[in-house]
Amino acid sequence: MSVAVSLQNINKEFPARRGETPTKAVDNVNLEIEHGEFFSMLGPSGCGKTTTLRMIAGFEEPSSGVILLDGVEVSHIPPFHRQVNTVFQDYALFPHMTVKQNVAFGLEMERVPSNVIAGRVKKMLELVQLPQMENRYPRQLSGGQQQRVALARALVKEPKVLLLDEPLGALDLKLRKQMQLELKHMQRRLGITFIYVTHDQEEALTMSDRIAVMSRGKVLQVGKPMDIYNAPNNRFVADFIGETNFLPANVKDTMNSVATVNVCGQFELKAKSQNGHTTPGENVTVAVRPEKLDLRPMSDQTNNYLVGHVDEQIFIGTDTRYVVRLPDDTQVVARIQNGIDPNEQIFAVGDEVKVVCQPEHTLVLEG
């Protein structure tokens, strides 16, 4: 696939207020986003994701670096000369205009012929499933309907790239989940490049073809949702996306990107070394997801395990959540899926258990 948006060494620094140092909101960001891709920028508040989106839109100029749209540099070109459009969290609909007038507004400003406007507005309202609402005003619509009108208004101009800045943030949880799927289906039907900003990890995992995880202005990792979740390349990414157990460990040796580490001063584990550069004696962090752990009775013959006592056992329907305390008082969480066998092993609070860590799911992390 060809590249729709390219960010090359992008930096954004905001001037200092009196007595303060300048703020570096975006720090040497490099990204390539392909045509027809649903690409999300994910991170906590203040990580630089919205500033990056605004630079792609043209609302902010980069302090340095190059922005290319379809191979053409647009770093200092104003928003109205870029083939992109933006949907904001607050929708920004004109309250005195009907749905049809809101959707048509951008085309009217470009002096598109009225018959062309009518056809494109009709097509867009059908796409967002609001053809019967064309004569209503924003105040007469639900939050989800207003969001669809904002989408139709952005899409009617047929942008090559649609930018979405937390557009579902104002919706309630049930409607937000519904709109996540609708947005993804819409993007697939249209084939337009979507660049989506969110702080919601589940939202990014649900909707995206690829995700860029950001922190403090930097892009820490870019990849497919499954890769980001299963193979985070540092502690921040592992901690920010999903639930993770972190264990302090010391490296004994490394061979073929598999490290042997010592945990709690008494347990040896085989773990995947993400960068393959761990050295004997190095202090590291080992990460493993709760659902990747297994619990076994002490009599079970197995390898690659820790030993601890069950502090907590909670049945939550599809699985049971165990909290196990290790000899150094570190706690690990294991989520064991509940099967169909009524005689399967259930551990009680106080039981001594083996916590089995499969080497391919046990990661040595940087940071």
Side-chain angles (χ1 to χ4, degrees):
M1 297 177 74
S2 57
V3 176
V5 179
S6 178
L7 306 182
Q8 301 175 3
N9 304 311
I10 293 296
N11 292 278
K12 180 62 179 180
E13 192 170 273
F14 291 104
R17 297 176 181 176
R18 181 177 294 179
E20 297 180 358
T21 57
T23 301
K24 194 159 194 178
V26 177
D27 189 354
N28 197 40
V29 165
N30 289 274
L31 288 173
E32 287 195 343
I33 301 165
E34 297 175 347
H35 281 287
E37 187 172 27
F38 198 122
F39 189 93
S40 291
M41 289 187 284
L42 171 67
S45 297
C47 72
K49 57 189 186 294
T50 293
T51 302
T52 303
L53 194 81
R54 288 176 62 82
M55 285 190 285
I56 297 171
F59 301 135
E60 300 280 357
E61 287 194 11
S63 303
S64 63
V66 175
I67 300 173
L68 303 174
L69 296 179
D70 266 349
V72 177
E73 184 175 358
V74 296
S75 310
H76 305 290
I77 292 176
F80 49 86
H81 286 153
R82 302 187 189 194
Q83 287 186 294
V84 302
N85 222 331
T86 307
V87 178
F88 300 99
Q89 182 174 340
D90 63 1
Y91 314 140
L93 300 177
F94 299 114
H96 61 287
M97 291 184 181
T98 65
V99 166
K100 180 167 63 176
Q101 290 168 334
N102 264 285
V103 176
F105 180 77
L107 297 177
E108 290 173 348
M109 292 298 98
E110 294 179 353
R111 302 186 184 279
V112 175
S114 57
N115 62 320
V116 175
I117 291 176
R120 282 164 66 173
V121 169
K122 183 175 184 294
K123 179 183 175 182
M124 280 301 112
L125 290 178
E126 288 172 352
L127 178 71
V128 299
Q129 302 174 32
L130 290 176
Q132 73 283 8
M133 302 284 187
E134 63 179 17
N135 293 317
R136 294 193 183 184
Y137 290 89
R139 65 178 179 275
Q140 298 173 303
L141 305 177
S142 68
Q145 289 168 338
Q146 290 183 42
Q147 197 256 13
R148 289 188 180 123
V149 175
L151 276 170
R153 184 178 62 181
L155 291 168
V156 77
K157 295 181 67 176
E158 299 178 348
K160 290 186 176 180
V161 179
L162 185 66
L163 310 174
L164 302 106
D165 188 7
E166 308 226 29
L168 308 183
L171 305 180
D172 64 67
L173 180 61
K174 184 177 180 180
L175 184 55
R176 189 160 70 242
K177 289 184 176 294
Q178 176 187 333
M179 290 304 301
Q180 288 171 9
L181 297 177
E182 287 193 20
L183 265 179
K184 181 60 180 174
H185 294 158
M186 191 182 303
Q187 187 266 340
R188 283 178 176 165
R189 288 197 301 271
L190 291 168
I192 292 175
T193 304
F194 277 27
I195 304 178
Y196 193 94
V197 159
T198 181
H199 65 274
D200 187 314
Q201 304 96 318
E202 184 179 335
E203 190 167 89
L205 292 171
T206 299
M207 302 170 71
S208 311
D209 296 317
R210 286 192 305 147
I211 300 169
V213 182
M214 297 185 68
S215 176
R216 298 183 178 182
K218 293 181 177 291
V219 172
L220 301 183
Q221 186 169 358
V222 179
K224 296 178 180 179
M226 187 177 293
D227 295 336
I228 294 277
Y229 184 84
N230 288 327
N233 63 9
N234 61 51
R235 178 164 181 155
F236 178 89
V237 176
D239 196 22
F240 189 73
I241 297 182
E243 186 178 11
T244 310
N245 294 297
F246 295 106
L247 301 169
N250 184 268
V251 177
K252 183 177 180 182
D253 61 53
T254 303
M255 183 176 294
N256 298 326
S257 295
V258 176
T260 301
V261 299
N262 187 286
V263 178
C264 297
Q266 57 182 293
F267 305 114
E268 281 193 0
L269 296 180
K270 300 289 187 184
K272 186 189 297 184
S273 177
Q274 295 290 74
N275 60 20
H277 299 311
T278 51
T279 55
E282 181 182 357
N283 291 321
V284 295
T285 297
V286 170
V288 58
R289 301 283 187 187
E291 70 274 12
K292 303 297 186 184
L293 292 174
D294 193 14
L295 299 188
R296 306 277 180 86
M298 292 299 294
S299 59
D300 197 76
Q301 297 300 311
T302 187
N303 296 312
N304 228 59
Y305 63 87
L306 310 167
V307 173
H309 289 83
V310 176
D311 264 3
E312 191 175 85
Q313 180 241 70
I314 302 175
F315 176 81
I316 49 179
T318 57
D319 54 298
T320 299
R321 185 180 190 272
Y322 291 94
V323 177
V324 178
R325 186 176 297 276
L326 303 180
D328 66 351
D329 279 340
T330 299
Q331 288 185 320
V332 295
V333 176
R335 296 187 64 144
I336 310 299
Q337 186 172 8
N338 296 317
I340 59 174
D341 182 2
N343 298 315
E344 67 185 352
Q345 182 76 54
I346 297 176
F347 299 99
V349 172
D351 285 352
E352 188 176 28
V353 295
K354 291 181 176 179
V355 182
V356 181
C357 312
Q358 298 298 335
E360 63 269 26
H361 300 309
T362 307
L363 310 177
V364 177
L365 298 180
E366 295 179 348

